[in-house]
Amino acid sequence: MSASAAHATRPSTAPASVFSLHDVGMELEGRALLRSISLEIVEGRSVALIGHNGSGKSTLLKLLGRLATPTSGRIRFEDQPLESWDRRPLARRLAHLPQSLPLAPGMLVKELVALGRYPWHGALGRFSAEDRRKVEEAIELTHLGPLADRLVDSLSGGERQRAWIAMLVAQDARCMLLDEPISALDIAHQIEVLSLVRDLTTQKNVTIVTVLHDVNMAARYCDDIVALRGGEVVSIGTPESIMTPAELDRIFGVAMDVVRQQSSGRPLAFAR
């Protein structure tokens, strides 16, 4: 199924396109992982990719991050073919956080955050006053000040996620790709991390695409939801349009009810 984003037809003053995908497909060893994906992601939005296991969420994120190459169709990033970007200019505009974070033995939080400046000065470049300012800003935005001199590997799961996201903030990328950043966290740290992601879109106008399993978290913290099933986009829109029994049944193949939270009025879905 081909789908267009809710923002495909926009007034001239609307945000610019960050990603445009047209009939994108991905095959591996003769098996189709993605089929005919067409969508648009505009600047300053927090977009959730949802769907059952094996639906193609992480594969799509890898294609957006140029960690894999589509076998059909085309992807444009900031109105240029994604494959035409040189590595360093792309790293200055686009950042990716994998699902499994690497260890950082012996590294302090502030040192990890400083690695985000690498695309700007390179291995032999001098760390400038601007680099220091960006690192300090990232630490402040992610509320890591009290942890800046702690070892990364001594942090809790939620704190480590914030430290790695701070590195992306220091990178000063205008678009971030996050692969299941809350999958191994307790509920308190899930809320902490997703609140941070939401704040980055509102305070810095960063476009963020996040793979999530929990549709309720996606509806609470994201502006738009792209739902995949069997490698195809089956639904796309705002949380209000996605969070209906009919749409959720189409996405997950499970009968679900939707109620409104008394405290906030937000939709909340649960299996029947």
Side-chain angles (χ1 to χ4, degrees):
M1 176 179 178
S2 175
S4 296
H7 310 284
T9 302
R10 307 187 309 271
S12 58
T13 56
S17 173
V18 176
F19 279 108
S20 293
L21 287 76
H22 180 70
D23 284 339
V24 170
M26 179 68 180
E27 291 187 4
L28 183 63
E29 297 178 351
R31 184 167 67 93
L33 304 181
L34 293 173
R35 301 180 182 87
S36 300
I37 303 293
S38 294
L39 61 90
E40 183 180 14
I41 296 170
V42 300
E43 66 179 354
R45 304 288 285 184
S46 178
V47 180
L49 303 181
I50 67 168
H52 58 78
N53 289 339
S55 61
K57 304 183 299 296
S58 292
T59 299
L60 178 56
L61 201 75
K62 288 178 180 178
L63 294 184
L64 296 180
R66 212 168 70 174
L67 301 177
T69 303
T71 51
S72 61
R74 59 185 184 271
I75 302 175
R76 297 181 69 85
F77 176 66
E78 294 188 349
D79 207 30
Q80 297 181 44
L82 182 59
E83 69 275 11
S84 73
W85 282 80
D86 289 336
R87 179 176 294 183
R88 180 169 290 183
L90 183 64
R92 292 176 175 178
R93 305 295 296 171
L94 181 64
H96 178 262
L97 190 69
Q99 180 179 353
S100 299
L101 298 178
L103 297 176
M107 185 174 291
L108 302 178
V109 168
K110 61 185 180 184
E111 293 171 338
L112 174 66
V113 178
L115 289 180
R117 300 304 299 165
Y118 180 83
W120 296 90
H121 60 68
L124 301 177
R126 180 175 297 178
F127 207 76
S128 68
E130 175 69 3
D131 292 324
R132 286 191 291 274
R133 187 181 71 80
K134 290 293 185 179
V135 170
E136 291 169 359
E137 178 187 50
I139 288 173
E140 180 180 356
L141 283 172
T142 53
H143 312 294
L144 285 171
L147 304 176
D149 291 306
R150 288 267 305 275
L151 290 170
V152 174
D153 291 344
S154 73
L155 302 180
S156 69
E159 291 167 344
R160 288 184 70 228
Q161 285 286 9
R162 276 197 289 142
W164 283 92
I165 292 173
M167 185 188 73
L168 305 192
V169 174
Q171 189 174 330
D172 211 23
R174 304 311 305 156
C175 181
M176 298 181 186
L177 309 175
L178 312 179
D179 195 354
E180 299 191 36
I182 63 170
S183 61
L185 304 181
D186 59 44
I187 184 65
H189 285 116
Q190 289 180 17
I191 291 172
E192 179 183 79
V193 168
L194 291 180
S195 295
L196 169 60
V197 170
R198 182 182 59 191
D199 290 346
L200 289 174
T201 60
T202 57
Q203 295 176 17
K204 291 182 66 67
N205 200 40
V206 177
T207 304
I208 301 182
V209 183
T210 309
V211 172
L212 293 172
H213 275 291
D214 190 328
V215 68
N216 289 313
M217 286 295 194
R220 178 174 177 177
Y221 289 102
C222 297
D223 301 310
D224 303 301
I225 296 175
V226 177
L228 293 96
R229 184 172 183 179
E232 297 180 312
V233 171
V234 294
S235 190
I236 184 167
T238 64
E240 286 293 326
S241 66
I242 296 293
M243 294 290 280
T244 69
E247 284 299 291
L248 294 173
D249 185 30
R250 221 155 58 89
I251 296 165
F252 296 105
V254 175
M256 304 181 77
D257 287 321
V258 178
V259 297
R260 296 279 174 176
Q261 292 179 303
Q262 291 184 350
S263 58
S264 65
R266 297 188 188 99
L268 183 67
F270 58 93
R272 292 177 185 168

